[in-house]
mmCIF file with all atom_site columns, all heavy atoms in Angstrom:
data_model
loop_
_atom_site.group_PDB
_atom_site.id
_atom_site.type_symbol
_atom_site.label_atom_id
_atom_site.label_alt_id
_atom_site.label_comp_id
_atom_site.label_asym_id
_atom_site.label_entity_id
_atom_site.label_seq_id
_atom_site.pdbx_PDB_ins_code
_atom_site.Cartn_x
_atom_site.Cartn_y
_atom_site.Cartn_z
_atom_site.occupancy
_atom_site.B_iso_or_equiv
_atom_site.pdbx_formal_charge
_atom_site.auth_seq_id
_atom_site.auth_comp_id
_atom_site.auth_asym_id
_atom_site.auth_atom_id
_atom_site.pdbx_PDB_model_num
ATOM 1   N N   . GLY A 1 121 ? 121.907 97.982  97.601  1.00 0.00 ? 121 GLY A N   1
ATOM 2   C CA  . GLY A 1 121 ? 122.319 98.020  99.005  1.00 0.00 ? 121 GLY A CA  1
ATOM 3   C C   . GLY A 1 121 ? 123.731 97.500  99.204  1.00 0.00 ? 121 GLY A C   1
ATOM 4   O O   . GLY A 1 121 ? 124.510 98.064  99.979  1.00 0.00 ? 121 GLY A O   1
ATOM 5   N N   . ILE A 1 122 ? 124.097 96.439  98.480  1.00 0.00 ? 122 ILE A N   1
ATOM 6   C CA  . ILE A 1 122 ? 125.459 95.910  98.546  1.00 0.00 ? 122 ILE A CA  1
ATOM 7   C C   . ILE A 1 122 ? 126.458 96.935  98.008  1.00 0.00 ? 122 ILE A C   1
ATOM 8   O O   . ILE A 1 122 ? 127.541 97.148  98.581  1.00 0.00 ? 122 ILE A O   1
ATOM 9   C CB  . ILE A 1 122 ? 125.559 94.589  97.770  1.00 0.00 ? 122 ILE A CB  1
ATOM 10  C CG1 . ILE A 1 122 ? 124.776 93.480  98.481  1.00 0.00 ? 122 ILE A CG1 1
ATOM 11  C CG2 . ILE A 1 122 ? 127.015 94.184  97.561  1.00 0.00 ? 122 ILE A CG2 1
ATOM 12  C CD1 . ILE A 1 122 ? 125.332 93.072  99.822  1.00 0.00 ? 122 ILE A CD1 1
ATOM 13  N N   . LEU A 1 123 ? 126.104 97.613  96.921  1.00 0.00 ? 123 LEU A N   1
ATOM 14  C CA  . LEU A 1 123 ? 127.008 98.626  96.360  1.00 0.00 ? 123 LEU A CA  1
ATOM 15  C C   . LEU A 1 123 ? 127.220 99.795  97.317  1.00 0.00 ? 123 LEU A C   1
ATOM 16  O O   . LEU A 1 123 ? 128.291 100.415 97.305  1.00 0.00 ? 123 LEU A O   1
ATOM 17  C CB  . LEU A 1 123 ? 126.476 99.125  95.023  1.00 0.00 ? 123 LEU A CB  1
ATOM 18  C CG  . LEU A 1 123 ? 126.546 98.125  93.866  1.00 0.00 ? 123 LEU A CG  1
ATOM 19  C CD1 . LEU A 1 123 ? 126.059 98.774  92.582  1.00 0.00 ? 123 LEU A CD1 1
ATOM 20  C CD2 . LEU A 1 123 ? 127.965 97.592  93.677  1.00 0.00 ? 123 LEU A CD2 1
ATOM 21  N N   . ARG A 1 124 ? 126.229 100.095 98.121  1.00 0.00 ? 124 ARG A N   1
ATOM 22  C CA  . ARG A 1 124 ? 126.401 101.152 99.134  1.00 0.00 ? 124 ARG A CA  1
ATOM 23  C C   . ARG A 1 124 ? 127.524 100.759 100.100 1.00 0.00 ? 124 ARG A C   1
ATOM 24  O O   . ARG A 1 124 ? 128.304 101.600 100.535 1.00 0.00 ? 124 ARG A O   1
ATOM 25  C CB  . ARG A 1 124 ? 125.094 101.383 99.895  1.00 0.00 ? 124 ARG A CB  1
ATOM 26  C CG  . ARG A 1 124 ? 123.920 101.833 99.037  1.00 0.00 ? 124 ARG A CG  1
ATOM 27  C CD  . ARG A 1 124 ? 123.966 103.287 98.694  1.00 0.00 ? 124 ARG A CD  1
ATOM 28  N NE  . ARG A 1 124 ? 123.597 104.094 99.843  1.00 0.00 ? 124 ARG A NE  1
ATOM 29  C CZ  . ARG A 1 124 ? 123.942 105.375 99.992  1.00 0.00 ? 124 ARG A CZ  1
ATOM 30  N NH1 . ARG A 1 124 ? 124.717 105.964 99.116  1.00 0.00 ? 124 ARG A NH1 1
ATOM 31  N NH2 . ARG A 1 124 ? 123.541 106.060 101.049 1.00 0.00 ? 124 ARG A NH2 1
ATOM 32  N N   . LEU A 1 125 ? 127.597 99.478  100.445 1.00 0.00 ? 125 LEU A N   1
ATOM 33  C CA  . LEU A 1 125 ? 128.680 99.007  101.325 1.00 0.00 ? 125 LEU A CA  1
ATOM 34  C C   . LEU A 1 125 ? 130.014 99.012  100.603 1.00 0.00 ? 125 LEU A C   1
ATOM 35  O O   . LEU A 1 125 ? 131.050 99.339  101.189 1.00 0.00 ? 125 LEU A O   1
ATOM 36  C CB  . LEU A 1 125 ? 128.362 97.596  101.833 1.00 0.00 ? 125 LEU A CB  1
ATOM 37  C CG  . LEU A 1 125 ? 127.107 97.426  102.685 1.00 0.00 ? 125 LEU A CG  1
ATOM 38  C CD1 . LEU A 1 125 ? 126.986 95.984  103.159 1.00 0.00 ? 125 LEU A CD1 1
ATOM 39  C CD2 . LEU A 1 125 ? 127.093 98.372  103.881 1.00 0.00 ? 125 LEU A CD2 1
ATOM 40  N N   . VAL A 1 126 ? 130.007 98.651  99.312  1.00 0.00 ? 126 VAL A N   1
ATOM 41  C CA  . VAL A 1 126 ? 131.236 98.698  98.520  1.00 0.00 ? 126 VAL A CA  1
ATOM 42  C C   . VAL A 1 126 ? 131.771 100.121 98.458  1.00 0.00 ? 126 VAL A C   1
ATOM 43  O O   . VAL A 1 126 ? 132.982 100.367 98.602  1.00 0.00 ? 126 VAL A O   1
ATOM 44  C CB  . VAL A 1 126 ? 130.985 98.139  97.101  1.00 0.00 ? 126 VAL A CB  1
ATOM 45  C CG1 . VAL A 1 126 ? 132.195 98.372  96.204  1.00 0.00 ? 126 VAL A CG1 1
ATOM 46  C CG2 . VAL A 1 126 ? 130.658 96.645  97.164  1.00 0.00 ? 126 VAL A CG2 1
ATOM 47  N N   . ASP A 1 127 ? 130.874 101.098 98.240  1.00 0.00 ? 127 ASP A N   1
ATOM 48  C CA  . ASP A 1 127 ? 131.284 102.507 98.189  1.00 0.00 ? 127 ASP A CA  1
ATOM 49  C C   . ASP A 1 127 ? 131.984 102.937 99.469  1.00 0.00 ? 127 ASP A C   1
ATOM 50  O O   . ASP A 1 127 ? 132.890 103.783 99.443  1.00 0.00 ? 127 ASP A O   1
ATOM 51  C CB  . ASP A 1 127 ? 130.060 103.403 97.951  1.00 0.00 ? 127 ASP A CB  1
ATOM 52  C CG  . ASP A 1 127 ? 129.676 103.516 96.489  1.00 0.00 ? 127 ASP A CG  1
ATOM 53  O OD1 . ASP A 1 127 ? 130.513 103.190 95.632  1.00 0.00 ? 127 ASP A OD1 1
ATOM 54  O OD2 . ASP A 1 127 ? 128.536 103.943 96.200  1.00 0.00 ? 127 ASP A OD2 1
ATOM 55  N N   . ARG A 1 128 ? 131.570 102.387 100.603 1.00 0.00 ? 128 ARG A N   1
ATOM 56  C CA  . ARG A 1 128 ? 132.149 102.770 101.894 1.00 0.00 ? 128 ARG A CA  1
ATOM 57  C C   . ARG A 1 128 ? 133.367 101.942 102.261 1.00 0.00 ? 128 ARG A C   1
ATOM 58  O O   . ARG A 1 128 ? 133.913 102.086 103.350 1.00 0.00 ? 128 ARG A O   1
ATOM 59  C CB  . ARG A 1 128 ? 131.084 102.658 102.980 1.00 0.00 ? 128 ARG A CB  1
ATOM 60  C CG  . ARG A 1 128 ? 129.918 103.618 102.760 1.00 0.00 ? 128 ARG A CG  1
ATOM 61  C CD  . ARG A 1 128 ? 128.907 103.531 103.891 1.00 0.00 ? 128 ARG A CD  1
ATOM 62  N NE  . ARG A 1 128 ? 127.800 104.421 103.597 1.00 0.00 ? 128 ARG A NE  1
ATOM 63  C CZ  . ARG A 1 128 ? 126.529 104.058 103.476 1.00 0.00 ? 128 ARG A CZ  1
ATOM 64  N NH1 . ARG A 1 128 ? 126.193 102.795 103.649 1.00 0.00 ? 128 ARG A NH1 1
ATOM 65  N NH2 . ARG A 1 128 ? 125.589 104.933 103.194 1.00 0.00 ? 128 ARG A NH2 1
ATOM 66  N N   . GLY A 1 129 ? 133.777 101.061 101.366 1.00 0.00 ? 129 GLY A N   1
ATOM 67  C CA  . GLY A 1 129 ? 134.945 100.229 101.647 1.00 0.00 ? 129 GLY A CA  1
ATOM 68  C C   . GLY A 1 129 ? 134.688 99.141  102.662 1.00 0.00 ? 129 GLY A C   1
ATOM 69  O O   . GLY A 1 129 ? 135.633 98.584  103.236 1.00 0.00 ? 129 GLY A O   1
ATOM 70  N N   . LEU A 1 130 ? 133.413 98.800  102.884 1.00 0.00 ? 130 LEU A N   1
ATOM 71  C CA  . LEU A 1 130 ? 133.075 97.800  103.893 1.00 0.00 ? 130 LEU A CA  1
ATOM 72  C C   . LEU A 1 130 ? 133.081 96.384  103.339 1.00 0.00 ? 130 LEU A C   1
ATOM 73  O O   . LEU A 1 130 ? 132.998 95.426  104.108 1.00 0.00 ? 130 LEU A O   1
ATOM 74  C CB  . LEU A 1 130 ? 131.703 98.124  104.499 1.00 0.00 ? 130 LEU A CB  1
ATOM 75  C CG  . LEU A 1 130 ? 131.625 99.463  105.251 1.00 0.00 ? 130 LEU A CG  1
ATOM 76  C CD1 . LEU A 1 130 ? 130.209 99.713  105.740 1.00 0.00 ? 130 LEU A CD1 1
ATOM 77  C CD2 . LEU A 1 130 ? 132.599 99.465  106.424 1.00 0.00 ? 130 LEU A CD2 1
ATOM 78  N N   . MET A 1 131 ? 133.134 96.243  102.018 1.00 0.00 ? 131 MET A N   1
ATOM 79  C CA  . MET A 1 131 ? 133.243 94.920  101.418 1.00 0.00 ? 131 MET A CA  1
ATOM 80  C C   . MET A 1 131 ? 133.657 95.051  99.963  1.00 0.00 ? 131 MET A C   1
ATOM 81  O O   . MET A 1 131 ? 133.593 96.141  99.374  1.00 0.00 ? 131 MET A O   1
ATOM 82  C CB  . MET A 1 131 ? 131.922 94.140  101.517 1.00 0.00 ? 131 MET A CB  1
ATOM 83  C CG  . MET A 1 131 ? 130.809 94.669  100.633 1.00 0.00 ? 131 MET A CG  1
ATOM 84  S SD  . MET A 1 131 ? 129.466 93.471  100.366 1.00 0.00 ? 131 MET A SD  1
ATOM 85  C CE  . MET A 1 131 ? 129.139 92.876  101.995 1.00 0.00 ? 131 MET A CE  1
ATOM 86  N N   . HIS A 1 132 ? 134.069 93.925  99.380  1.00 0.00 ? 132 HIS A N   1
ATOM 87  C CA  . HIS A 1 132 ? 134.339 93.810  97.948  1.00 0.00 ? 132 HIS A CA  1
ATOM 88  C C   . HIS A 1 132 ? 133.520 92.647  97.411  1.00 0.00 ? 132 HIS A C   1
ATOM 89  O O   . HIS A 1 132 ? 133.212 91.700  98.143  1.00 0.00 ? 132 HIS A O   1
ATOM 90  C CB  . HIS A 1 132 ? 135.831 93.581  97.693  1.00 0.00 ? 132 HIS A CB  1
ATOM 91  C CG  . HIS A 1 132 ? 136.708 94.686  98.197  1.00 0.00 ? 132 HIS A CG  1
ATOM 92  N ND1 . HIS A 1 132 ? 136.814 95.906  97.554  1.00 0.00 ? 132 HIS A ND1 1
ATOM 93  C CD2 . HIS A 1 132 ? 137.503 94.757  99.292  1.00 0.00 ? 132 HIS A CD2 1
ATOM 94  C CE1 . HIS A 1 132 ? 137.644 96.675  98.226  1.00 0.00 ? 132 HIS A CE1 1
ATOM 95  N NE2 . HIS A 1 132 ? 138.080 96.014  99.292  1.00 0.00 ? 132 HIS A NE2 1
ATOM 96  N N   . LEU A 1 133 ? 133.185 92.699  96.137  1.00 0.00 ? 133 LEU A N   1
ATOM 97  C CA  . LEU A 1 133 ? 132.300 91.682  95.579  1.00 0.00 ? 133 LEU A CA  1
ATOM 98  C C   . LEU A 1 133 ? 132.928 90.293  95.577  1.00 0.00 ? 133 LEU A C   1
ATOM 99  O O   . LEU A 1 133 ? 132.221 89.287  95.625  1.00 0.00 ? 133 LEU A O   1
ATOM 100 C CB  . LEU A 1 133 ? 131.874 92.059  94.159  1.00 0.00 ? 133 LEU A CB  1
ATOM 101 C CG  . LEU A 1 133 ? 131.034 93.340  94.025  1.00 0.00 ? 133 LEU A CG  1
ATOM 102 C CD1 . LEU A 1 133 ? 130.497 93.481  92.607  1.00 0.00 ? 133 LEU A CD1 1
ATOM 103 C CD2 . LEU A 1 133 ? 129.879 93.356  95.033  1.00 0.00 ? 133 LEU A CD2 1
#
Side-chain angles (χ1 to χ4, degrees):
I122 291 294
L123 290 183
R124 299 281 285 158
L125 298 183
V126 172
D127 277 343
R128 297 183 182 121
L130 297 177
M131 70 162 47
H132 300 285
L133 296 189

